[in-house]
Amino acid sequence: MRLDGRVQPAEIVYVVNPASGRGNAVPHDEREHVEIVTGETFRELHDRAIAAIERRPRALVVQGGDGMVSLGAALVDGTGIPLGVVPTGSGNDFARSAGIPRHAPAATAQALVSGILDRTATTRAVDLLRIRLGERHAVAVNSLNIGFDARVNHVANRMRLPGTARYVAALLRSLRHFVPFTAELRLNDGEARIDPSAQVLAVANGASCGGGIRLAPAARLDSGEFELVHVRGASKLQLLTLFPIAMVGRHTGLRVVDISQARRLRARIPSGVYVYADGERLRGADDPHPLDLEVTVAPGALRLVVPAAG
């Protein structure tokens, strides 16, 4: 489907995470048509972006990592406004799964903005993960991570190493104090089951996490289902080697790994367990209460802008 309508100044809202990556890539020759939104803090950025979206632009473009894509998806959810992505984060796992170029942000921004303005861009429908944590609601575009991998994400966010190297270093640091947890799980409308030795619960919309670790190699953004990667009963050595093996997608046959396809997950997670979505914390280890969590897939809920080839 082609983007249509007359081109007007500030018809595109372009939201930039100043803390992520390689600067503002919006083309200089197009800026009269673009409202650039940034902020000193994420809260300020969020509030300014909401105000800009309320002016009903023809498209929203976000520049940053997976957390920025998640923010953009939440902003346009239910509005029909398409979303363009310029990946400049440390992991960019959503961009990997979506086939968005990750190494030339200026060229990607030029192609997106020009394609929207000259009406050569199209849109692709991809799925969203809708998340309920108690009374809170959120969305994710790439993954929801519970347990050990969420703890690794938490540690990685405090490190300055690039991409996958940062994730591997965080893996080593996180392993020392991690203990399994008891989770009550229900997939789709099936019976609840209790796992007393859960270690990883990853709800995957995209194939990778942690900057290219292919935890759910068969996951597709437009399949109408997510993949639940469930790791339980692994020794510390097995946990240590799991993620390097997963970098090439060779972990799926391991005894401690179970991968299921589903449209809905309901889970009860005890206190002290991290929950992260698209690299951003939803719940810390300091939360003293058990958590009732629900994840559902919303097929085709996000319209992703695709520039014309060439």
Side-chain angles (χ1 to χ4, degrees):
M1 174 168 37
R2 290 191 178 275
L3 300 172
D4 53 14
R6 295 177 57 202
V7 173
Q8 298 291 340
E11 200 163 352
I12 299 168
V13 170
Y14 192 110
V15 181
V16 181
N17 182 356
S20 178
R22 289 150 273 178
N24 189 340
V26 66
H28 286 273
D29 58 348
E30 306 286 11
R31 292 196 179 194
E32 64 179 296
H33 302 291
V34 179
E35 178 181 355
I36 299 174
V37 177
T38 188
E40 294 295 323
T41 66
F42 190 83
R43 170 52 60 186
E44 184 179 45
L45 179 74
H46 178 266
D47 292 345
R48 289 179 177 177
I50 289 176
I53 286 296
E54 288 176 350
R55 293 189 280 273
R56 299 294 300 180
R58 186 140 63 91
L60 170 68
V61 177
V62 294
Q63 179 181 317
D66 286 343
M68 282 297 293
V69 185
S70 185
L71 169 65
L75 289 169
V76 301
D77 191 19
T79 69
I81 297 172
L83 178 69
V85 175
V86 179
T88 59
S90 59
N92 301 317
D93 288 292
F94 177 82
R96 292 170 193 269
S97 292
I100 299 170
R102 294 176 285 112
H103 303 299
T108 300
Q110 177 71 67
L112 282 171
V113 171
S114 298
I116 293 166
L117 294 177
D118 66 18
R119 292 182 275 182
T120 60
T122 59
T123 59
R124 170 193 176 191
V126 299
D127 303 338
L128 272 181
L129 300 176
R130 299 196 192 280
I131 305 164
R132 180 182 61 79
L133 306 95
E135 300 301 317
R136 295 174 54 203
H137 294 268
V139 301
V141 293
N142 188 69
S143 66
L144 175 76
N145 303 90
I146 305 166
F148 182 66
D149 54 337
R151 183 186 181 96
V152 173
N153 202 325
H154 176 75
V155 174
N157 282 354
R158 298 166 177 259
M159 305 177 82
R160 294 187 177 273
L161 293 171
T164 302
R166 182 176 67 166
Y167 196 89
V168 172
L171 169 66
L172 293 170
R173 187 174 296 182
S174 301
L175 187 65
R176 186 174 181 181
H177 300 294
F178 179 77
V179 294
F181 58 95
T182 298
E184 181 179 326
L185 309 172
R186 186 192 301 265
L187 283 178
N188 295 328
D189 296 321
E191 294 293 324
R193 66 181 192 269
I194 296 177
D195 178 6
S197 60
Q199 292 161 308
V200 173
L201 295 171
V203 180
N205 194 35
S208 69
C209 65
I213 297 173
R214 294 177 57 78
L215 201 58
R220 298 293 179 268
L221 294 173
D222 56 1
S223 66
E225 295 182 311
F226 58 75
E227 298 218 347
L228 176 66
V229 181
H230 182 186
V231 180
R232 60 187 182 275
S235 67
K236 287 196 172 184
L237 178 60
Q238 287 173 317
L239 269 183
L240 180 64
T241 58
L242 172 67
F243 291 91
I245 294 172
M247 291 178 71
V248 291
R250 299 298 299 272
H251 63 298
T252 57
L254 298 177
R255 179 185 57 80
V256 297
V257 177
D258 180 66
I259 300 179
S260 305
Q261 293 76 41
R263 298 175 305 279
R264 181 186 188 193
L265 167 69
R266 284 172 287 176
R268 186 167 179 82
I269 307 299
S271 61
V273 178
Y274 284 103
V275 178
Y276 267 66
D278 292 337
E280 303 296 327
R281 187 173 70 174
L282 294 183
R283 187 218 202 190
D286 55 350
D287 189 330
H289 305 293
L291 175 67
D292 290 317
L293 177 146
E294 181 177 25
V295 188
T296 56
V297 66
L302 178 64
R303 294 171 59 206
L304 190 66
V305 180
V306 181

